[in-house]
């Protein structure tokens, strides 16, 4: 037998094996589709062996078996997801330079478009500012996409550094439902009366998340959904959140005791350190299909190339607006004793955290700025203190920069110090006023991008 004949026989065997495997795969796929189509958690009255007992009392509607509303109501709240039919949504447009673009998003929340931004620039020797030409989508009412206004930068002697990088049965609702196992949303206040729709938008935001609609074959309770959804909460360092469409017609975080007719997942497109990459997205899709099979849902997977473009664009925006503003206090005489210094800083209002950081609280669970002694815990003295403001994480209304300067001036009197820049040059009142103006421009730029400083969106991106 020649080599050619041997090759032909081997090729024929491979072909036959391929056809056999393909047929088996098609048979398995068809069987799975049929099982899903005919699967039902409802009691089939035709299969009962005993006669049903008729009751003269009025019937009670079980919310589990209630049909889902044909159309969920459209919310007009600024932070609430819009639940209008896809055919009724007007596709918003936005511009990239002078080129008109169209939002490629899909689903109830929409998706952020593809844009380009200008790389960040450094303002003089102290403040890192950016002149982005990015056009991001609109506010939390999806999908809206106003353009980002470029903010001019001016020289300022202030330092800016980049940051380091068991469920209950469906048939019997639980007498005391456990709280939803949803990850906390960054908030500046502990207001417990936030509407569910706002919480839903805070968790799955079309501006900063890749939306992952899950079409459910039948309504399910939160008790069945949460244990499955917990299996996919993180991809790389990007959080994955879920919201559900309740039978009441409102989108809300998935929780126990509620029946949901639809699900919407979302993975954050970028963080302070990295953007969602191809490897992470592939892992996300594989794991999402697995959990979808467990709950009888069909995921709608967005195109990878579009998602990667959106992730890179959002990360460029984050990098361009990632600024920390610092001022320094230098001792006029001998260095300060660290033990004595701790007491003085606590009297000034600083809170010493377990990690050694001094934090000035905003009074509502957040922080205005931090203070560093610039020495290790083992050292006994220090001659320099640094106050640092994380600009995109503090709302303009709190005037973080003004509060930081006021604190620095108070410490000057208390510690016999002088306010200096990174080069030990005294920082005059005129320079401070100039910096304050630049901070206002920075805040206006973030507001125009629909990611206001100190907002839930900003805290998710810059934390």
């Amino acid at each position: 037998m020649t080599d050619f004949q041997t090759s032909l026989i081997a090729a024929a065997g491979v072909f036959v094996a391929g056809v056999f495997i393909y047929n088996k795969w098609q048979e398995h796929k068809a069987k799975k589709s049929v099982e899903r189509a005919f699967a039902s958690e409802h009691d089939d009255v035709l299969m009962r062996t005993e006669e049903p007992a008729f009751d003269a009392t009025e019937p009670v509607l079980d919310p589990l078996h209630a049909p889902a509303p044909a159309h969920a109501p459209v919310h007009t709240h600024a932070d609430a997801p819009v639940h209008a039919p896809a055919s009724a949504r007007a596709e918003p447009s936005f511009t990239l330079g002078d080129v008109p673009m169209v939002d490629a998003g899909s689903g109830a929340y929409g998706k952020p478009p593809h844009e380009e931004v200008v790389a960040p620039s450094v303002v003089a020797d102290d403040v890192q500012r950016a002149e982005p030409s990015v056009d991001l989508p609109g506010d939390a009412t999806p999908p809206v996409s106003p353009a980002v206004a470029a903010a001019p930068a001016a020289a300022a002697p202030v330092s800016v550094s980049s940051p380091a990088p068991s469920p209950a049965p469906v048939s019997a609702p639980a007498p005391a439902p456990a709280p939803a196992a949803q990850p906390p949303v960054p908030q500046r206040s502990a207001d417990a009366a936030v509407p569910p729709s706002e919480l839903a938008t805070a968790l799955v935001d079309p501006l900063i998340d890749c939306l992952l609609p899950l079409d459910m074959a039948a309504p399910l309770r939160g008790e069945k959904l949460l244990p499955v959804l917990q299996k996919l909460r993180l991809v790389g360092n990007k959080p994955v959140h879920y919201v559900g469409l309740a039978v009441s017609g409102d989108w809300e975080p998935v929780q126990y005791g509620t029946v949901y007719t639809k699900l919407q997942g979302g993975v954050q497109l970028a963080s302070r350190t990295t953007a969602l990459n191809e490897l992470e997205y592939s892992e996300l899709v594989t794991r999402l299909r697995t959990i979808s099979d467990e709950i009888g849902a069909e995921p709608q997977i967005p195109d990878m190339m579009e998602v990667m473009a959106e992730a890179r664009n959002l990360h460029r925006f984050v990098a361009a607006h990632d600024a920390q503003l610092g001022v320094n206090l230098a001792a006029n005489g001998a260095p300060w004793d660290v033990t004595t210094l701790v007491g003085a800083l606590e009297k000034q209002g600083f809170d010493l955290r377990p990690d050694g950081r001094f934090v000035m609280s905003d009074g509502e669970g957040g922080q205005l700025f931090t203070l560093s002694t610039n020495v290790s815990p083992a050292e006994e003295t220090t001659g320099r203190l640094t106050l640092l403001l994380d600009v995109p994480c503090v709302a303009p209304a709190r005037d973080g920069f003004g509060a930081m300067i006021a604190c620095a001036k108070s410490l000057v009197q208390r510690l016999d110090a002088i306010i200096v820049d990174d080069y030990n040059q005294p920082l005059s009142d005129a320079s401070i006023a100039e910096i304050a103006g630049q901070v206002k421009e920075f805040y206006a730029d973030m507001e125009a991008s629909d990611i206001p400083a100190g907002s839930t969106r900003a805290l998710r991106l810059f934390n």
Side-chain angles (χ1 to χ4, degrees):
M1 181 180 294
T2 64
D3 292 341
F4 178 74
Q5 291 173 327
T6 302
S7 300
L8 288 178
I9 292 174
V14 171
F15 177 79
V16 171
V19 171
F20 177 80
I21 294 173
Y22 177 80
N23 288 338
K24 285 295 183 181
W25 178 73
Q26 290 289 343
E27 179 182 348
H28 171 73
K29 184 177 179 182
K31 180 179 178 181
K32 182 178 177 182
S33 299
V34 171
E35 290 176 350
R36 179 179 298 178
F38 288 94
S40 174
E41 294 181 3
H42 299 279
D43 188 14
D44 191 345
V45 297
L46 298 179
M47 298 300 294
R48 293 178 179 174
T49 58
E50 71 280 5
E51 290 294 329
F54 291 92
D55 191 359
T57 59
E58 289 295 329
V60 179
L61 179 62
D62 185 352
L64 175 61
H65 303 145
H71 297 286
V74 178
H75 298 267
T76 58
H77 195 283
D79 291 332
V82 177
H83 312 293
S87 59
R89 291 195 298 110
E91 295 293 344
S93 61
F94 57 94
T95 59
L96 178 61
D98 298 327
V99 182
M101 305 288 288
V102 177
D103 188 358
S106 62
Y109 285 78
K111 289 173 58 181
H114 312 159
E115 300 98 353
E116 295 294 336
V117 295
V118 177
S121 59
V122 176
V123 180
D125 56 347
D126 289 2
V127 63
Q128 178 181 343
R129 293 300 314 279
E131 298 182 2
S133 59
V134 58
D135 296 326
L136 289 178
D139 58 15
T141 304
V144 185
S145 309
V148 176
V158 60
S159 63
V160 170
S161 58
S162 299
S166 123
V170 175
S171 58
Q182 196 74 20
V185 181
Q187 295 184 13
R188 305 300 290 181
S189 78
D191 185 7
V194 179
S197 56
E198 292 188 25
L199 292 177
T201 305
L203 284 174
V204 180
D205 191 329
L207 188 67
I208 63 176
D209 292 318
C210 169
L211 304 182
L212 306 165
L214 300 174
D215 297 331
M216 298 169 56
L220 288 177
R221 287 186 178 273
E223 293 93 305
K224 282 199 169 183
L225 295 173
L226 283 173
V228 179
L229 299 181
Q230 288 289 345
K231 298 177 182 179
L232 179 54
R233 284 299 189 188
L234 205 65
V235 176
N237 65 345
K238 315 301 186 302
V240 182
H241 298 146
Y242 305 93
V243 294
L245 180 62
V247 291
S248 63
D250 293 328
W251 287 91
E252 62 181 33
V254 180
Q255 57 188 343
Y256 289 97
T258 305
V259 179
Y260 299 98
T261 59
K262 291 183 180 179
L263 286 178
Q264 179 85 284
V267 57
Q268 191 166 310
L269 290 168
S271 65
R272 206 164 197 166
T273 54
T274 59
L276 185 70
N277 57 45
E278 289 84 353
L279 184 61
E280 292 172 337
Y281 189 70
S282 298
E283 177 190 352
L284 170 71
V285 171
T286 301
R287 296 171 61 187
L288 184 65
R289 292 189 186 279
T290 301
I291 68 171
S292 297
D293 289 341
E294 293 188 40
I295 60 176
E298 185 65 31
Q300 299 180 21
I301 307 300
D303 180 72
M304 177 184 287
M305 299 303 295
E306 293 182 2
V307 174
M308 293 301 100
E310 292 164 3
R312 288 190 293 269
N313 180 73
L314 181 61
H315 186 252
R316 283 194 291 268
F317 174 84
V318 172
H321 292 79
D322 190 1
Q324 292 187 341
L325 194 60
V327 295
N328 303 284
L329 294 178
N332 271 329
W336 301 296
D337 180 81
V338 173
T339 304
T340 305
L341 185 63
V342 170
L345 293 177
E346 288 179 341
K347 289 181 180 179
Q348 187 67 32
F350 284 97
D351 179 23
L352 179 58
R353 298 294 170 85
D355 58 2
R357 294 183 306 131
F358 290 91
V359 174
M360 181 64 69
S361 173
D362 62 3
E364 295 186 4
Q367 67 180 42
L368 285 177
F369 51 88
T370 60
L371 181 143
S372 172
T373 60
N374 296 307
V375 295
S376 65
E379 298 191 41
E380 298 180 352
T381 61
T382 180
R384 189 181 184 89
L385 303 176
T386 299
L387 289 86
L388 199 63
L389 172 67
D390 200 349
V391 184
C393 293
V394 179
R398 301 190 181 279
D399 190 18
F401 180 72
M404 183 173 69
I405 295 299
C407 178
K409 290 182 177 180
S410 177
L411 289 174
V412 164
Q413 302 298 325
R414 186 184 295 271
L415 302 176
D416 187 23
I418 183 174
I419 302 177
V420 297
D421 60 17
D422 284 347
Y423 303 100
N424 284 327
Q425 298 300 314
L427 205 56
S428 65
D429 290 340
S431 298
I432 292 174
E434 182 180 358
I435 298 167
Q438 295 176 11
V439 172
K440 289 182 179 180
E441 293 177 1
F442 182 91
Y443 282 145
D445 187 31
M446 291 198 67
E447 182 73 30
S449 72
D450 287 307
I451 306 180
S455 65
T456 299
R457 284 175 177 168
L459 293 177
R460 286 184 59 190
L461 290 173
F462 293 94
N463 276 345

